[in-house]
């Protein structure tokens, strides 16, 4: 026998001996490995690949897939890979549960009662939302946008004061209040302390005895924090899994408690009320640990029982500690499992045990609202828990000795559901700031209060005295407006004397005229709940299918033919043939500049930071921008996830406000009727599909963030108004009467100032009337139909820009422009005609009807007196001039002037000379106009040597201008 065969034989004997030893061990200790004998294969994915030897590649297989074993051409099935079994939450998300089937059956049968309440859509996680109580009169909130604001009772009403971190700090995720000191944690993990009115970064500093990992304070990033019950210290868990303690603030005193052996600290579950140095934490794997620095070892692990292990490991989030549930010396810590069940870790008679309380049927619990100390004196205590679908449940447990079975009461789970047309944010605990009053963050960014009747609501301040015996056990909802959904403006809180004062509110007082300033108050009652609907709740549809609406061929060109680039300096015009011309004022000279492209254009959809966005005849989005000293085109549709588009925002921000941030984006409407977000800040171009409401495709954008920050208002092809919140990424439908159908044209936002929420959205109805959607602090949202200037005139073009917060131009079917303006709180019409209609109708009629008329005009009786131009000779043989106004969306040219297009292709500028008096200032000839009249002032003629616009060829650069002027049509871009 060779040496090789001898080695093989010895290895064979050793392997047999090892197998015999394992077999004998299993005979001797049958329960030594019970889990191995009963453990089953757990499938964790739905994607598997098979290697094909013929093609030498891996190919993904389709499930179910048979596992086949072949030996000597004898193949047998040995297993099956099937679709992964879904968790309870996934079943709810996809509507697989019995309740959802019942809902679908009711829908087919026409029973729509309670449809919204039976919705089982799993909500997304809102990781930046938090609620923190400072006092009974002050609640601090972090929103999903990363903003920080305080809801403060000033003695008269609730006001909202901003406390945002500086832009360089990024978004905030939580606020902590320790002994009247306010801390904030940013999304990057940095800790900030508020000193006076500024945020100052606070970096942890440890003494020499701390380990090297904690000494590197520059790399320590906070994840979350919890304040002790006495309010004197705060514990942090870091992103690396450490437990830190800040025991003193001035000067800061930090302690590093490390982490559990072989684990980390993912969340702080609770801190014992009796022992302030006792902390309960949850690891990222879902295990419960107890930290006691006075004992050895300091870290102890709480093992789970078989019963609780079936429900899954624990969710790393804040729990709720209750004392005296099973006796005077009992301690109960309530936590949630990853399976959405409520469990209790109870200490009674020096023994720990786990108790499973479960969850409501077909619901997945996601957060626990901690209790108030006053509630511990009641006969029973209530836990309020939010679900993954946005409902709030109350779990009642009586206070008496007994086992877990004895503690259960009939109907322990009470469903408080959620506010109308809104849902509680998933995974965000509520805040009990008074007995009978609980605040919840809503998924759409607003706040909601669940309170007992007569104890809460928007207009109810802190209540210190009440009779508990007379309190009702039925809770009601009140929705509270918040900047996350209503826009960030100064109207929430002011420094002026009055009810909105940020420090001390003063009740409304009569002014000099005897009127009471009631418009500055916040909204009464619960009317805010009816502001807008959740999608799917409105059943009436005047248009059977959105596809029935077809856009006119020239829809883009008439809606986006003109675009302002820089006020008083430059604007663009797109001709019907698709040519691009810019009207530019450079070095005291007005000139036309042509921008060539290989494909014809249809419209100019926006401008940002010196760049202009165009759409061509194929729906391609293109950017015209400066590249060094040259001009360049950028194809945005060719980028990843790019789309073909048909429309964009009507205006480019509020007049006088220059907003350039790291999150700036433009919104467009795709050809398929979806809302698209295109990020433009820092040239980090990126497309995002914001989808569309399920009932309809989109027709146009009414307003983008002019009326409400972070809100895009749109009109569907069914003629109804919707809004999209770019922070929460939610769609809502606004209430709208059945007879009102909006036109599919862009609209205009009107606000008296940037620091006011009061204002309106102006749109046209399908029958050519003016429609206003108004908001004020007292009445909320309201529809106002202004109708038409006269019975024989309809409105045919999108509204003009808002002028001074109370004036608006509309283009009539008769070729005249009409001014809609407010005079002494009354809306009036004024006919401003067109540049050459001296005999036109100049009557002014009020909103009450045509009989009440005033002889006010927009210009003098002699139409040439204030034009300062040489108007066309009526006897001219050239009959191609038509000075009536074309149905093209006008644009602003300055704060007090507007540019219109005439039917003959020329442009006309109207300018305000008094509060409501407008005069036609000039007519601007265009390179492609069919009218050959000369419209230069005498001064302009001398400047150009007697040359008229119509005598110039539409060259890329005019002959009398220098090449340098042709390259200077863009202002320099702003850098962050």
């Amino acid at each position: 026998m060779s040496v090789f065969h001898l080695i093989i034989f010895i290895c064979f004997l050793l392997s047999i001996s090892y197998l015999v030893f394992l077999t004998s061990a299993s005979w001797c200790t049958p329960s030594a490995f019970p889990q191995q004998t009963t453990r089953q294969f757990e499938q964790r994915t739905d994607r598997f690949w098979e290697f094909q030897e013929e093609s030498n590649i891996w190919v993904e297989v389709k499930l179910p897939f048979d596992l086949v074993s072949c030996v000597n051409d004898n193949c047998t099935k040995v297993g099956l890979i099937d679709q992964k079994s879904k968790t309870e939450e996934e079943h709810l998300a996809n509507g697989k549960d019995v309740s959802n089937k019942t809902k679908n059956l009711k829908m087919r049968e026409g029973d729509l009662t309670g449809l919204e309440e039976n919705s089982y859509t799993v909500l997304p996680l809102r990781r930046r939302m938090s609620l923190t109580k400072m006092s009974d009169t002050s609640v601090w909130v972090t929103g999903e946008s990363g903003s920080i604001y305080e809801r403060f009772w000033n003695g008269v009403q609730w006001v909202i004061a901003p406390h945002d971190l500086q832009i360089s700090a990024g978004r905030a995720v939580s606020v902590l209040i320790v002994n009247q000191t306010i801390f904030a944690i940013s999304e990057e993990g940095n800790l900030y302390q508020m000193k006076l009115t500024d945020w100052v970064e606070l970096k942890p500093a440890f003494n020499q005895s701390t380990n090297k990992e904690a000494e590197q304070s520059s790399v320590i990033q906070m994840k979350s924090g919890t304040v002790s019950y006495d309010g004197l210290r705060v514990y942090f868990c870091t992103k690396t899994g450490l437990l830190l303690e800040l025991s003193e603030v001035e000067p800061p005193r930090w302690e590093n408690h490390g982490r559990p052996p072989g684990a980390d600290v993912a969340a702080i579950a609770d801190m014992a009320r009796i022992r302030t140095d006792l902390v309960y934490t949850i690891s990222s794997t879902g295990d419960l640990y107890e930290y006691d620095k006075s004992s050895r070892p300091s870290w102890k692990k709480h093992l789970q029982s078989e019963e609780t292990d079936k429900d899954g490991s624990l969710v790393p989030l804040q729990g709720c500690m209750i004392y005296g549930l099973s006796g005077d010396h009992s301690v109960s810590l309530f936590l949630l499992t990853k399976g959405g069940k409520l469990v209790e870790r109870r200490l009674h008679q020096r023994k720990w045990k786990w108790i499973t309380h479960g969850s409501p049927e077909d619901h997945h619990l996601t957060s626990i609202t901690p209790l108030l100390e006053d509630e511990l004196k009641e006969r029973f205590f209530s836990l309020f828990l939010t679900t993954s679908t946005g409902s709030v449940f109350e779990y009642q447990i009586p206070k008496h000795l007994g086992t877990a079975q004895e503690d259960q009461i009939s109907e322990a789970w009470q469903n408080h559901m959620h506010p109308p047309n809104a849902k509680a944010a998933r995974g965000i605990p509520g805040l009990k700031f008074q007995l009978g009053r609980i605040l919840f963050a809503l998924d759409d960014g607003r706040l909601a209060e669940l309170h007992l009747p007569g104890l809460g609501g928007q207009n109810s301040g802190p209540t210190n005295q009440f009779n508990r015996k007379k309190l009702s056990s039925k809770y009601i909802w009140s929705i509270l407006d918040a900047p996350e959904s209503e826009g960030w403006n100064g109207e929430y809180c002011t420094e002026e004397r009055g009810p909105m004062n940020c420090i001390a509110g003063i009740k409304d007082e009569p002014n000099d005229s005897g009127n009471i300033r009631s418009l500055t108050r916040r909204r009464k009652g619960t009317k805010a709940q009816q502001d807008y609907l959740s999608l799917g709740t409105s059943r009436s549809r005047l248009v059977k299918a959105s596809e029935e609406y077809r856009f006119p061929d020239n829809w883009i060109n008439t809606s986006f033919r003109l675009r302002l680039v820089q006020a008083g300096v430059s604007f663009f015009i797109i001709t019907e043939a698709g040519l691009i011309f810019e009207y530019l004022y450079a070095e005291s000279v007005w000139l036309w500049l042509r921008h060539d492209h290989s494909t014809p254009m249809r419209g100019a959809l926006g401008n940002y930071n010196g760049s202009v966005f165009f759409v061509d005849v194929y729906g391609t989005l293109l950017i015209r921008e400066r590249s060094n000293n040259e001009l360049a085109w950028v194809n945005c549709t060719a980028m990843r996830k790019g789309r073909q588009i048909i429309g964009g925002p009507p205006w480019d921000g509020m007049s006088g406000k220059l907003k350039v941030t790291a999150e700036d984006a433009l919104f467009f409407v795709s050809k398929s009727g979806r809302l698209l977000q295109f990020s433009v800040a820092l040239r980090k171009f990126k497309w995002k599909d914001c989808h569309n409401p399920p009932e309809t495709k989109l027709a146009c954008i009414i307003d983008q963030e002019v009326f409400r920050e972070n809100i895009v208002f749109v009109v569907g092809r069914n003629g109804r108004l919707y809004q999209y919140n770019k922070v929460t990424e939610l769609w809502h439908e606004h209430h709208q009467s059945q007879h009102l159908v909006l036109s599919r044209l862009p609209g205009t936002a009107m606000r008296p100032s940037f620091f006011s929420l009061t204002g309106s959205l102006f749109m046209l109805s399908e029958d050519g009337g003016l429609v206003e959607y108004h908001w004020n602090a007292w009445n909320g949202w309201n529809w106002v139909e202004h109708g038409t200037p006269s019975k024989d005139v309809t409105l045919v073009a999108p509204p003009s820009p808002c002028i001074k917060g109370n004036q608006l131009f509309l283009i009539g079917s008769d070729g005249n422009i009409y001014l809609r303006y407010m005079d002494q709180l009354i809306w009036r019409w004024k006919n401003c005609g067109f540049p050459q209609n001296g005999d036109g109708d100049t009557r002014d009629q009020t909103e009450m009807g045509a009989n009440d008329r005033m002889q006010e005009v927009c210009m003098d009786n002699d139409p040439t007196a204030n034009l300062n131009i040489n108007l066309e000779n009526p006897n001219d043989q050239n009959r191609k001039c038509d000075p009536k106004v074309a149905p093209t969306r006008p644009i602003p040219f300055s704060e007090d002037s507007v540019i219109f297009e005439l039917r003959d292709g020329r442009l006309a500028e109207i300018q305000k000379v008094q509060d409501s008096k407008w005069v036609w200032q000039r007519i601007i000839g265009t390179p492609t106009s069919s009218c050959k009249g000369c419209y230069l002032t005498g001064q302009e003629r001398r400047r150009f040597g007697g040359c008229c616009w119509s005598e110039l060829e539409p060259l890329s650069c005019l002959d009398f201008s220098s090449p340098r002027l042709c390259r200077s049509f863009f202002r320099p871009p702003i850098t962050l």
Side-chain angles (χ1 to χ4, degrees), residues 247-291:
S247 56
E248 295 181 9
V249 177
E250 295 294 343
R253 180 181 176 185
W254 290 90
E255 292 184 62
N256 174 36
H257 301 302
R259 57 167 62 91
D264 61 354
V265 178
I268 299 174
D270 207 292
M271 285 172 290
R273 183 178 290 106
I274 300 176
R275 296 264 312 275
T276 57
D277 55 351
L278 190 61
V279 184
Y280 295 93
T281 66
I282 300 176
S283 66
S284 57
T285 57
D287 295 319
L288 178 64
Y289 288 88
E290 174 185 328
Y291 175 77

Side-chain angles (χ1 to χ4, degrees), residues 15 20 22 79 162 169 311 427 488 517 582 650 826 837 879 935 945 975:
S15 62
V20 172
L22 291 179
D311 294 325
W488 237 144
R517 299 186 309 150
E582 179 189 8
I826 298 178
N837 73 331
R879 298 296 182 181
Y935 303 100
T975 57

Side-chain angles (χ1 to χ4, degrees), residues 730-948:
L730 293 178
W731 284 96
H732 287 285
E733 178 183 358
H734 282 261
H735 280 268
Q736 193 170 326
S737 61
Q738 296 183 1
H739 75 278
L740 177 60
V741 180
L742 300 175
S743 70
R744 287 71 170 180
L745 295 174
T748 294
M750 176 181 289
R751 278 163 51 196
S753 69
F754 174 72
F755 299 101
S756 174
L757 287 177
T758 301
S760 302
L761 295 173
F762 283 90
M763 299 156 280
L764 299 186
S765 62
E766 194 174 43
D767 56 2
L770 179 63
V771 179
E772 176 188 3
Y773 194 41
H774 178 72
W775 191 96
N776 63 48
W778 183 250
N779 297 316
W781 288 104
N782 285 287
W783 288 96
V784 180
E785 296 190 46
H786 293 260
T788 60
S790 61
K791 294 182 179 180
D792 56 346
V793 174
T794 58
L795 305 178
V796 295
S800 76
C802 165
I803 306 296
K804 301 299 180 182
N806 60 0
Q807 300 181 49
L808 198 71
F809 282 108
L810 287 309
I811 300 175
S813 56
D814 55 355
N816 295 333
I817 68 168
Y818 294 87
L819 178 66
R820 189 61 166 168
Y821 70 102
M822 180 173 286
D823 180 23
Q824 297 180 353
L825 300 181
I826 298 178
W827 282 105
R828 301 178 184 275
W829 285 105
K830 181 181 293 185
N831 185 352
C832 294
F834 53 89
Q836 293 181 350
N837 73 331
D839 299 329
D841 183 11
T842 60
R843 291 171 295 181
D844 180 24
Q845 53 192 358
T846 67
E847 190 178 33
M848 302 303 296
N851 294 329
D852 183 10
R853 295 176 177 175
M854 299 176 59
Q855 295 300 320
E856 294 183 12
V857 297
C858 287
M859 57 185 177
D860 296 336
N861 293 330
D862 183 6
T864 64
N866 292 318
L867 287 179
N868 291 328
I869 57 177
N870 295 325
L871 295 179
E872 171 184 20
N873 185 359
N875 299 322
D876 192 354
Q877 297 179 356
N878 189 353
R879 298 296 182 181
K880 294 182 180 181
C881 297
D882 187 354
K884 289 189 176 182
V885 181
T888 300
R889 184 178 64 93
I891 61 171
F893 192 54
S894 64
E895 294 184 357
D896 55 0
S897 66
V898 182
I899 297 291
F900 293 86
E901 184 184 21
L902 305 182
R903 290 180 179 179
D904 55 23
R906 296 174 297 168
L907 303 177
E909 179 183 359
I910 192 170
Q911 189 171 20
K912 184 171 69 69
V913 294
Q914 293 179 4
D915 290 341
S916 60
K917 185 175 182 180
W918 293 76
V919 297
W920 289 102
Q921 185 66 23
R922 59 172 173 165
I923 294 180
I924 305 173
T926 59
T928 59
S929 174
S930 59
C931 180
K932 300 300 182 182
C934 180
Y935 303 100
L936 296 181
T937 65
Q939 182 179 4
E940 289 173 335
R941 282 178 173 273
R942 289 190 296 271
R943 182 181 304 161
F944 297 143
C947 180
C948 290

Side-chain angles (χ1 to χ4, degrees), residues 436-448:
R437 303 181 68 177
I438 313 171
L439 282 179
F440 288 94
L442 297 182
D443 185 62
D444 60 14
R446 295 178 293 175
L447 301 178

Side-chain angles (χ1 to χ4, degrees), residues 324-325 374-382 396-400 468:
L325 176 62
D374 292 342
E375 296 180 83
L376 302 180
K377 301 176 184 179
E378 299 291 339
R379 292 182 297 103
F380 62 89
F381 73 90
S382 297
Q396 295 182 345
I397 302 179
K399 294 184 58 179
H400 64 270
R468 298 194 183 197

Side-chain angles (χ1 to χ4, degrees), residues 285-301:
T285 57
D287 295 319
L288 178 64
Y289 288 88
E290 174 185 328
Y291 175 77
D292 185 358
K293 63 181 178 181
S294 62
S295 65
R296 293 292 181 268
S298 300
W299 290 96
K300 297 178 183 179
K301 182 178 181 180

Side-chain angles (χ1 to χ4, degrees), residues 218-436:
S218 60
V219 298
I220 291 181
Q221 295 177 315
M222 304 299 181
K223 183 178 181 181
S224 62
T226 304
V227 181
S228 61
Y229 286 100
D230 57 12
L232 299 178
R233 65 186 68 197
V234 57
Y235 288 87
F236 298 93
C237 63
T238 67
K239 292 185 177 182
T240 57
L242 294 175
L243 178 65
L244 305 182
E245 178 185 353
L246 180 61
S247 56
E248 295 181 9
V249 177
E250 295 294 343
R253 180 181 176 185
W254 290 90
E255 292 184 62
N256 174 36
H257 301 302
R259 57 167 62 91
D264 61 354
V265 178
I268 299 174
D270 207 292
M271 285 172 290
R273 183 178 290 106
I274 300 176
R275 296 264 312 275
T276 57
D277 55 351
L278 190 61
V279 184
Y280 295 93
T281 66
I282 300 176
S283 66
S284 57
T285 57
D287 295 319
L288 178 64
Y289 288 88
E290 174 185 328
Y291 175 77
D292 185 358
K293 63 181 178 181
S294 62
S295 65
R296 293 292 181 268
S298 300
W299 290 96
K300 297 178 183 179
K301 182 178 181 180
H302 288 248
L303 299 177
Q304 295 194 38
S305 62
E306 294 182 1
E307 183 179 0
T308 57
D309 189 57
K310 294 179 181 179
D311 294 325
S313 55
L314 300 175
V315 180
L317 50 74
Q318 183 180 4
C320 182
M321 181 76 74
I322 303 297
Y323 290 90
L325 176 62
S326 300
D328 293 338
H329 302 287
S330 64
V331 177
S332 298
L333 178 60
F334 288 86
L335 303 166
L336 295 181
T337 66
K338 293 182 178 179
K341 308 293 183 181
L342 177 66
V343 295
E344 176 189 352
R345 184 60 166 165
R346 179 180 298 181
L347 176 63
H348 182 55
Q349 297 179 352
R350 297 184 179 182
K351 292 183 180 179
W352 284 100
K353 63 178 179 180
W354 287 96
I355 300 174
T356 301
H357 295 270
S359 63
E361 184 179 0
D362 297 331
H363 285 279
H364 186 102
L365 303 176
T366 60
S367 70
I368 304 176
T369 298
L371 297 176
L372 286 174
E373 294 187 9
D374 292 342
E375 296 180 83
L376 302 180
K377 301 176 184 179
E378 299 291 339
R379 292 182 297 103
F380 62 89
F381 73 90
S382 297
L383 287 179
F384 288 83
L385 306 101
T386 60
T387 69
S388 60
T389 56
S391 296
V392 175
F393 278 86
E394 179 184 358
Y395 184 61
Q396 295 182 345
I397 302 179
K399 294 184 58 179
H400 64 270
L401 292 174
T403 61
Q405 289 75 16
E406 294 173 347
D407 285 345
Q408 299 298 326
I409 60 176
S410 59
E411 298 181 358
W413 294 99
Q414 295 187 16
N415 188 0
H416 295 288
M417 304 178 68
H418 47 76
N421 305 317
K423 294 183 178 181
R426 169 188 170 192
I428 308 300
L431 176 66
K432 291 188 176 181
F433 70 100
Q434 270 195 313
L435 184 62

